[in-house]
Amino acid sequence: MTQNTYSFASSGAFVETFTLKPYQKGPLDGLTFAVKDNIDIGGYKTSYGSIPWRSAHKAPVYNALCVEQLLGNGATCLGKTVADEYTYSLDGESYFFGTPINPKAPERVPGGSSSGSASAVACGLVDFSIGTDSAGSIRVPASLCGIWGMRPTLHRISEAGVLPFMPSVSTVGAFSNDINILENVMRTMLRSEEVQSEEIINIYLLEDAFSISDAEVNDAIRNKISPLFEIPGIAITSINLSDIVGEGIDLNVTNSQALRVLQTAEFVSTVGNWIEAFSPEKGPSFSAAYENIQSFDRTELNNALLLCENVFKKISHFMKKGDLFIFPTTPTIAPLKGSLNNLDSVLDFYDRTMAITSFAGIGGLPEISIPLATINGSPIGLSVAAGRYQDEFLLSSVKKLFP
C-alpha cells in the first residue's frame, strides 16, 4: 500500500476537515498541515480524543499559539486529526473515532497518541502535521508509520491553547515525510534565527535502548548506522544510562519509577478531576488504564519527582555541544490491530516503549525519529537526540548523517 491510496475520509485520520488560509506569506508558503485534536482552533470544538469531552465543552474562540505561528508564516490548515482518548495511549486505537490507517502497514496500528497527525502525513494528505509528545506521542507514531517526527526541547514551543496532559514533560512537535519541510516547520515554531551549524563531535549509542529492543529491530538499526563509523572526526561510543546518571538507574527505572509515576499523578490533576465530576463514557482501554490511575498512591509522587530531577540534571550536565545520542525509537514494529488485548501484550509494548521514550522525556531533550528501516515491510525509526536547546544542531546533524 503506497501513499495517496487513501482519501481524507478513508484514512480515518481526521475528526473534521476545513480550510484555514494563511494570514500572510512566509517561509511555509504553499504547505498544508493538520492539527492534533487536543490543540485548539478557534470556532471548532476540541475533542481531546473523547466525544463526551467535546460535547461538554464549547468551541474555543482563539487558535493555539502554535497554530497562529503556522498560519502567520504561510501554511494552510486542512483540519483536525484523531487523537487517542485524552492522549493517554501510545497505540492509536481510538474507541470514539476509530483507528487511523497506517498506510505502510495497514494491518497494524499507527501508534499514538498523535495517531491521526502521523497517519495524515504518512498518507500524503498534508505536507506536515503538528501533535504533542509526553511519553512518545510523536516519536512512536513517527517510527511505526515510517515518517519523520520531532519532539523539541521541553517548553521551547508555546503550549498556550493546548489541552493539559502531563505539563512537566509535554511539548508540541511536528511530523513530515520530508526532513527539509520538518526543519522549516520546527524552526518556525522554535522562532529560530540563522545560526552556524556546529560540528558533530561525539555520537553515543544508548545501549539500554538497544538491549530493550527486539533482536530484529536491534540488527536493522545497527546495520543502518554502520556507515557512521567510517566518518572521520566523530567519536562513536557505546554507553548506558547508568554511566551518566549513576549505578542502578537504567531506562526501565526512569520509566517505572519516574515517567509513569509523574504521568499518572499529573493526569489526575489535569483531567482526572473533570472525569470524577462528570463520569463520562470511556473506551475499554482507557477504562482499564483509569482504574490504575484511581488506585495510584499519591504519596509516591515526591520520590518520583526527586528521581526526575536527578536524572534531568545529570543528563543536562553530561551532554555537551556537538554530542548526539542514537538509539531505536521503538523496541518493536507496530503491533497488529487488536493485538493489545491482554495484560501481557499491553505491558510488553508499553513498558519497553516508554522505557526508551523516557530518556528524552525526563531529560527534556530534543529528539528526531528518522524513517530508516523496515522489517518485513513494517517501518521502524531511528532516534537521534541532542542536548537541551540544541534543536537546530540536531536538525542540521541528522541531515548530514542521513542525507
Side-chain angles (χ1 to χ4, degrees):
M1 198 75 65
T2 58
Q3 290 180 16
N4 298 321
T5 299
Y6 297 96
S7 66
F8 279 76
S10 65
S11 70
F14 286 83
V15 174
E16 58 183 321
T17 58
F18 45 78
T19 300
L20 294 182
K21 295 291 186 182
Y23 305 146
Q24 58 192 19
K25 292 184 178 298
L28 306 180
D29 277 359
L31 298 180
T32 58
F33 72 101
V35 176
K36 182 179 181 180
D37 203 17
N38 66 329
I39 300 173
D40 284 346
I41 292 181
Y44 297 89
K45 284 195 170 189
T46 307
S47 75
Y48 211 170
S50 164
I51 288 177
W53 176 279
R54 185 175 66 179
S55 299
H57 292 82
K58 293 182 178 181
V61 176
Y62 300 105
N63 298 329
L65 261 63
C66 55
V67 175
E68 297 282 29
Q69 286 180 284
L70 301 173
L71 294 172
N73 279 281
T76 299
C77 180
L78 298 184
K80 304 198 77 174
T81 53
V82 173
D84 290 0
E85 195 169 349
Y86 305 113
T87 69
Y88 201 93
S89 175
L90 288 175
D91 55 60
E93 296 189 282
S94 170
Y95 170 72
F96 290 106
F97 296 101
T99 302
I101 197 72
N102 180 343
K104 296 172 185 174
E107 74 285 2
R108 298 182 179 274
V109 300
S113 63
S114 304
S115 53
S117 291
S119 175
V121 166
C123 288
L125 299 173
V126 289
D127 295 305
F128 70 93
S129 62
I130 58 172
T132 55
D133 186 303
S134 297
S137 288
I138 286 174
R139 295 164 285 167
V140 171
S143 176
L144 302 187
C145 288
I147 59 177
W148 295 83
M150 181 173 178
R151 168 203 168 90
T153 295
L154 185 64
H155 301 322
R156 270 200 68 180
I157 297 174
S158 172
E159 287 190 78
V162 180
L163 290 171
F165 172 69
M166 189 181 177
S168 294
V169 181
S170 183
T171 181
V172 174
F175 301 93
S176 183
N177 279 309
D178 185 315
I179 179 56
N180 294 306
I181 292 176
L182 181 68
E183 180 180 34
N184 204 4
V185 170
M186 291 303 300
R187 288 180 69 90
T188 296
M189 292 196 293
L190 291 165
R191 307 172 302 283
S192 298
E193 297 180 354
E194 288 298 325
V195 293
Q196 185 176 359
S197 61
E198 299 165 11
E199 293 299 317
I200 303 167
I201 299 172
N202 294 297
I203 293 177
Y204 295 98
L205 306 183
L206 188 59
E207 292 295 339
D208 305 50
F210 283 97
S211 65
I212 287 170
S213 300
D214 291 345
E216 58 186 2
V217 172
N218 194 326
D219 292 344
I221 294 297
R222 289 191 189 275
N223 179 60
K224 289 292 186 179
I225 65 174
S226 59
L228 301 183
F229 288 82
E230 306 302 320
I231 301 176
I234 299 177
I236 299 181
T237 307
S238 291
I239 197 167
N240 290 299
L241 184 63
S242 60
D243 298 324
I244 303 169
V245 179
E247 187 175 352
I249 301 179
D250 59 17
L251 292 180
N252 289 313
V253 170
T254 58
N255 172 34
S256 62
Q257 297 181 31
L259 183 65
R260 293 293 285 267
V261 176
L262 184 63
Q263 180 187 64
T264 301
E266 292 201 336
F267 184 84
V268 168
S269 297
T270 56
V271 185
N273 286 322
W274 182 83
I275 292 175
E276 292 298 322
F278 292 94
S279 300
E281 180 186 3
K282 309 177 191 69
S285 294
F286 178 76
S287 293
Y290 193 66
E291 288 181 5
N292 292 327
I293 293 169
Q294 289 175 304
S295 63
F296 171 64
D297 180 0
R298 288 176 70 85
T299 62
E300 297 178 16
L301 178 58
N302 280 334
N303 288 334
L305 289 173
L306 290 172
L307 178 58
C308 287
E309 186 66 13
N310 179 48
V311 172
F312 174 84
K313 285 182 177 178
K314 289 189 174 179
I315 291 176
S316 296
H317 183 262
F318 178 87
M319 295 193 75
K320 305 294 190 297
K321 289 184 177 181
D323 289 353
L324 296 172
F325 274 79
I326 285 181
F327 47 93
T329 306
T330 52
T332 180
I333 61 173
L336 292 167
K337 292 178 182 178
S339 66
L340 300 176
N341 55 9
N342 61 69
L343 185 60
D344 288 341
S345 62
V346 169
L347 289 178
D348 178 65
F349 176 69
Y350 276 84
D351 285 349
R352 291 195 292 150
T353 301
M354 290 182 65
I356 294 176
T357 63
S358 69
F359 177 66
I362 297 300
L365 307 176
E367 177 182 330
I368 294 175
S369 181
I370 302 168
L372 199 65
T374 58
I375 298 170
N376 297 324
S378 295
I380 198 74
L382 168 74
S383 270
V384 183
R388 294 174 64 239
Y389 301 107
Q390 295 293 303
D391 306 69
E392 292 85 355
F393 165 65
L394 176 60
L395 284 159
S396 65
S397 295
V398 298
K399 292 174 69 175
K400 291 178 184 176
L401 295 175
F402 305 99

